[in-house]
Amino acid sequence: MPNRQRRAALSITMGAALGLACALAAGPALAQAAPRTDLVVGMRLEPPHLDPTAGAAAAIDEVTYANLFEPLTRIDAEGKVVPGLAEKWEVSADGLTYTFHLRKGATFHDGSAADSADVKFSLDRARGADSVNAQKGYFAAVAGVEAPDAQTVVVTLSRPDGLFLFHMASGDAAIVAPESAGTNKQTPVGTGPFKFERWVAGDRVVLVRNPDYDGPKPALERVTFRFISDPAAQVAALKAGDIDSFPQFDTYEALPQFRDDGAFTVMVGTTEGETILGTNNARKPFDDVRVRRAMAHAIDRKTLIDGVLFGNGAAIGSHFPPHRAGYVDLTGLYPYDPDKAKALLAQAGYPDGFETTLRLPPPIYARRSGELIAAMLAEVGVRVKVEPVEWAPWLEKVFKGKDYDLTLIAHTEPLDIDIYGRPDYYFNHRSERFNAVGAELDRTQDAAKRNALYGEQQRILAEDAVNGFLFMLPSATVQKSGVQGMWVNRPIQANDVTGVRWK
Amino acid sequence: MTRLKRLPVSLLLGGLLTALVVGAALLSLVWTPFPAEQVRVVARLRPPGPVHWLGTDHFGRDALSMILVGARNSLAVGAAAVALGALLGVPLGLAASAWGRWGDEAVARLGDLLFAFPAVLTAILLTAALGAGAVNVVLALGLFNAAVFARVARGAALAVWRRDFVRAALALGRGPLSVTLVHVLPNIAGVVIVQGTVLFAVAVLNEAALSYLGLGIQPPSPSWGKMLGDAQTFLFTAPLQAIFPGAAIAVTVLGLNLLGDGLRDVLDPRHRSAGLL
């Protein structure tokens, strides 16, 4: 009998457990009736300040772009130029006059109207002599800005600029008000669907929904950007449920465990980050194209992508992302072939290889790639001394000072193949052919022709083996299942949460 | 046997652990299971097993081989930093004790100045200015050690200078240099050796800290600190890869500290009563 009693007791307990389980299962169902309206977004780096028109740090745009500040045009999730503060625009036939029509009801978060005077102020400020804009070059072609009425802005260019609308969509071209431009770094005032609430230094920035926004209202009422730099802490914060969505999650080795966990979704998309082995083309022995080609043959991209990105990335053969129109696949130009590399080095006069230094900036992809590439180059006799450096000395010595042999970096600006035409850029590379194609690109508006020209530029760079072209940096997002509308790809540095909602 | 019985436990245990690490370092000169720098991405993050006894890291390098070579690197940096410190610091301390007055004062203040910057901070400053690498780590740690050695040597030497046989030697007309070499140095040797062992342990720990920060021994050469730093991001997937280099550092530092304690017991008569087998 006691046995039966126990069994009965057991079944009662199980029944209770089942009931509890049902109640728990019903929990989410209940929650479905009223989805959450807050979101916690994880970011690796804290922005130095919050004014996108006065700094190059990607973290500024990752908080403010499209959420808090709006430029005239905007880049959407697919990388297309769409209306921003300007609801429509016309371009003159000669490509020199752009007429923007602003949204009628647009206001700044302080209540003042956002009109053509603010646009004129913002553009003149960005291109002015004492401008601190990180991308002054975007405004270099602007000859004048006029505001014929409150809703119309006419921009005239001194020369055609095929990328003008694209550049006007960047965070650097955000429209600010003269009254608040000076204080935007700490208390940003924009025209976007979210407004600034507070910034807890070292921890978080909080944005709240702007009730007076003139466009479609976002589903979220409150968005918190939390800054967690340590990879292990990022994983822990996600697992503990402290973070709802972590875009640009670069601890790739942790992705499988989130994929296996039903509570999370993992999305791997593309960025604009061409990752290259930056090479000082002016310095011996890299001034010899045979040496650069030898190094290209010595690098095994597949191993690199497996080892650094755990397979989450696409190989590139030139400075152009595979997902963009105009891409030409040049990854087969220098297949992995250490013997060929050695032969080329011997031809160039280095049968026993040579010694060189590889300066690595802090990101984990750079440090890991550098270590692997050093091992690969050692196979063909190139003895690489690896030298890790912090961001400030990297910018100072490598990027500005051009004092380096090799470096490793992802160029994350969209459509930035034109950097190879800049006369004083840190690759120290000069090609008249490349520049001639670049000049034609600036004169060309037709999309098909532009793509063909981009292809030609890619081919020139690959044939010159200007840099080691490695892979596209992936964009991995780990988030709770139920978050919808986060960007899969990163056509521009941004965490646009205006379209995010909970299921 | 009786001699062995009289040796303190700490000396035996410390000696054993240190011998283990030195043995590993020596072994790595002639044999490692795999080349320590060999990258094989397909075999990455393997758990310990018959092929890779301690598993592999995120690039598929054999962890045991890296730990063996790492022992060599750690000991080399530690030894160099201690040797540099002793070569600079001991003569300075002896000179200070012999000069007396303002010469003494000058050495003491110089020591204070160096003490104001902790070893790791000095090393970070130096590597920031001169670039990362083993040589600069040795320089930075050696400078810090020099200050410690100078202070210890000076204190011990001052006590020796007051003793009768030194006064007798001086009265017989011996010069300060000769007295220092013949009488003072041998009498402070024990203290200096004990201090050297302790500083050796500190140097190994600091080298690991700097390599963890990416400022110490540079890849591809393996180092325990860098192995720890690399393994940090894999804590959730391959925790053992952090534990092995951590254990190696712990064993080395513990061994050297115990050895230092034991040596002090043996060399310093005042401590002789305690800790006998």
Side-chain angles (χ1 to χ4, degrees):
Chain A
M1 282 310 110
N3 208 354
R4 265 179 76 177
Q5 264 174 9
R6 198 179 298 157
R7 202 172 289 163
L10 197 69
S11 67
I12 289 168
T13 333
M14 277 184 65
L18 268 174
L20 198 67
C22 290
L24 282 174
L30 274 172
Q32 230 164 22
R36 275 176 62 186
T37 55
D38 64 314
L39 185 77
V40 182
V41 178
M43 282 173 59
R44 192 159 41 88
L45 295 176
E46 180 172 20
H49 59 77
L50 292 171
D51 183 355
T53 67
I60 303 172
D61 283 330
E62 285 164 10
V63 172
T64 62
Y65 187 80
N67 303 327
L68 205 153
F69 285 110
E70 295 175 305
L72 284 171
T73 54
R74 210 157 62 81
I75 303 293
D76 71 357
E78 272 80 52
K80 291 197 300 282
V81 176
V82 296
L85 191 62
E87 57 185 0
K88 55 184 195 297
W89 54 85
E90 294 106 40
V91 187
S92 67
D94 60 1
L96 291 174
T97 309
Y98 287 74
T99 310
F100 295 95
H101 302 280
L102 309 184
R103 291 201 314 260
K104 278 209 170 63
T107 55
F108 282 99
H109 298 150
D110 62 4
S112 63
D115 55 24
S116 57
D118 297 303
V119 175
K120 180 172 164 52
F121 165 78
S122 300
L123 297 186
D124 285 344
R125 174 171 169 264
R127 69 196 185 96
D130 52 354
S131 160
V132 290
N133 199 289
Q135 300 289 354
K136 267 180 97 168
Y138 288 0
F139 309 90
V142 176
V145 184
E146 280 155 58
D149 67 59
Q151 255 71 54
T152 312
V153 179
V154 180
V155 180
T156 46
L157 304 187
S158 56
R159 56 176 162 82
D161 178 355
L163 286 177
F164 184 68
L165 285 174
F166 196 76
H167 287 160
M168 287 307 106
S170 69
D172 306 276
I175 301 307
V176 297
E179 311 87 64
S180 49
T183 52
N184 276 342
K185 283 187 174 177
Q186 295 306 319
T187 50
V189 175
T191 59
F194 289 95
K195 58 182 186 178
F196 176 77
E197 187 180 75
R198 68 198 174 108
W199 181 357
V200 182
D203 183 43
R204 65 183 71 200
V205 168
V206 183
L207 307 183
V208 290
R209 187 157 67 190
N210 171 15
D212 305 321
Y213 188 62
D214 57 311
K217 301 255 190 310
L220 299 174
E221 280 173 8
R222 169 182 294 264
V223 183
T224 306
F225 293 90
R226 282 199 57 194
F227 314 116
I228 305 178
S229 59
D230 181 67
Q234 292 167 2
V235 174
L238 275 163
K239 294 233 148 183
D242 294 347
I243 303 277
D244 297 319
S245 179
F246 208 119
Q248 316 223 52
F249 183 80
D250 66 352
T251 312
Y252 307 110
E253 57 270 24
L255 292 181
Q257 63 183 8
F258 286 114
R259 276 204 191 97
D260 294 345
D261 189 335
F264 295 95
T265 31
V266 173
M267 309 187 288
V268 178
T270 56
T271 69
E272 301 298 316
E274 298 93 353
T275 310
I276 57 166
L277 179 68
T279 308
N280 193 340
N281 281 236
R283 205 174 260 193
K284 267 189 183 314
F286 307 111
D287 55 346
D288 187 330
V289 71
R290 288 171 298 188
V291 171
R292 301 199 298 267
R293 285 177 182 160
M295 297 208 307
H297 278 299
I299 294 171
D300 178 5
R301 293 193 194 92
K302 169 142 190 357
T303 299
L304 208 57
I305 291 167
D306 278 349
V308 178
L309 308 172
F310 287 68
N312 298 294
I316 50 170
S318 187
H319 199 99
F320 212 80
H323 59 261
R324 260 189 196 285
Y327 170 75
V328 181
D329 185 356
L330 295 160
T331 51
L333 198 56
Y334 306 105
Y336 175 59
D337 187 346
D339 293 328
K340 184 124 189 236
K342 278 186 213 160
L344 276 167
L345 282 175
Q347 270 181 40
Y350 300 95
D352 304 317
F354 53 87
E355 287 190 7
T356 186
T357 306
L358 170 58
R359 290 205 157 135
L360 298 177
I364 199 155
Y365 73 80
R367 296 275 164 100
R368 282 189 190 159
S369 303
E371 213 174 312
L372 274 180
I373 284 179
M376 290 171 188
L377 291 179
E379 299 273 311
V380 302
V382 177
R383 296 170 296 282
V384 179
K385 186 171 167 275
V386 173
E387 204 181 279
V389 289
E390 293 305 308
W391 273 123
W394 186 87
L395 285 168
E396 199 56 41
K397 284 184 187 162
V398 178
F399 191 72
K400 288 195 193 131
K402 287 169 264 177
D403 173 19
Y404 76 106
D405 299 337
L406 298 170
T407 187
L408 204 145
I409 184 83
H411 279 257
T412 53
E413 299 81 15
L415 266 179
D416 56 357
I417 196 169
D418 64 298
I419 56 179
Y420 290 80
R422 293 189 192 168
D424 222 17
Y425 212 57
Y426 74 107
F427 312 136
N428 279 323
H429 169 257
R430 260 173 227 94
S431 164
E432 294 313 317
R433 261 175 78 207
F434 183 90
N435 293 349
V437 180
E440 207 177 326
L441 256 172
D442 272 342
R443 288 190 298 269
T444 311
Q445 296 272 353
D446 178 69
K449 277 188 199 142
R450 288 184 65 84
N451 289 343
L453 291 170
Y454 276 132
E456 208 167 317
Q457 284 198 319
Q458 292 165 56
R459 223 168 267 120
I460 294 169
L461 296 182
E463 277 162 17
D464 273 358
V466 180
N467 293 309
F469 299 109
L470 308 175
F471 52 76
M472 292 304 297
L473 211 58
S475 162
T477 305
V478 178
Q479 59 188 16
K480 287 182 187 161
S481 302
V483 179
Q484 294 178 324
M486 288 295 283
W487 286 12
V488 178
N489 302 320
R490 298 281 131 183
I492 192 168
Q493 295 281 9
N495 293 317
D496 180 347
V497 294
T498 55
V500 175
R501 58 176 66 245
W502 286 86
K503 195 165 69 174
Chain B
M1 277 316 283
T2 47
R3 258 191 81 81
L4 191 68
K5 266 194 177 167
R6 290 177 139 263
L7 291 176
V9 186
S10 54
L11 183 68
L12 290 176
L13 194 58
L16 196 72
L17 292 179
T18 308
L20 191 74
V21 178
V22 173
L26 291 176
L27 179 66
S28 78
L29 288 171
V30 289
W31 178 82
T32 52
F34 290 85
E37 296 167 13
Q38 189 187 67
V39 167
R40 267 183 72 230
V41 173
V42 283
R44 69 163 161 239
L45 296 176
R46 291 264 164 88
V51 180
H52 297 282
W53 294 355
L54 298 186
T56 58
D57 77 348
H58 60 293
F59 287 157
R61 291 174 295 202
D62 181 60
L64 177 59
S65 308
M66 291 176 79
I67 287 194
L68 292 178
V69 179
R72 189 166 86 211
N73 285 339
S74 270
L75 292 183
V77 167
V82 169
L84 181 68
L87 283 176
L88 287 175
V90 173
L92 213 55
L94 286 173
S97 70
W99 281 333
R101 295 231 162 230
W102 67 265
D104 191 16
E105 195 69 15
V107 172
R109 292 293 84 80
L110 190 71
D112 287 342
L113 190 72
L114 283 172
F115 270 126
F117 299 92
V120 172
L121 194 61
T122 317
I124 291 175
L125 281 175
L126 203 72
T127 48
L130 302 176
V135 175
N136 291 332
V137 170
V138 167
L139 271 181
L141 297 180
L143 273 181
F144 174 79
N145 286 348
V148 182
F149 272 118
R151 178 163 290 197
V152 167
R154 173 185 163 272
L158 280 179
V160 178
W161 278 104
R162 281 195 288 271
R163 288 171 66 177
D164 289 343
F165 64 91
V166 174
R167 287 163 188 263
L170 286 171
L172 284 170
R174 296 258 189 155
L177 183 65
S178 137
V179 170
T180 300
L181 290 179
V182 176
H183 296 293
V184 181
L185 189 55
N187 276 293
I188 66 162
V191 184
V192 169
I193 289 170
V194 170
Q195 193 60 48
T197 340
V198 174
L199 286 179
F200 202 133
V202 175
V204 167
L205 204 56
N206 283 339
E207 186 281 316
L210 289 165
S211 293
Y212 170 84
L213 295 172
L215 300 170
I217 291 165
Q218 287 307 306
S221 207
S223 76
W224 293 342
K226 179 156 191 310
M227 287 176 78
L228 261 184
D230 284 344
Q232 192 187 358
T233 62
F234 301 97
L235 268 182
F236 287 90
T237 37
L240 285 176
Q241 287 312 313
I243 289 174
F244 294 134
I249 296 170
V251 164
T252 311
V253 173
L254 182 68
L256 285 167
N257 269 317
L258 285 174
L259 187 68
D261 272 0
L263 282 174
R264 191 192 55 211
D265 290 349
V266 171
L267 298 170
D268 187 344
R270 274 167 303 178
H271 289 87
R272 248 177 217 164
S273 53
L276 293 184
L277 258 180

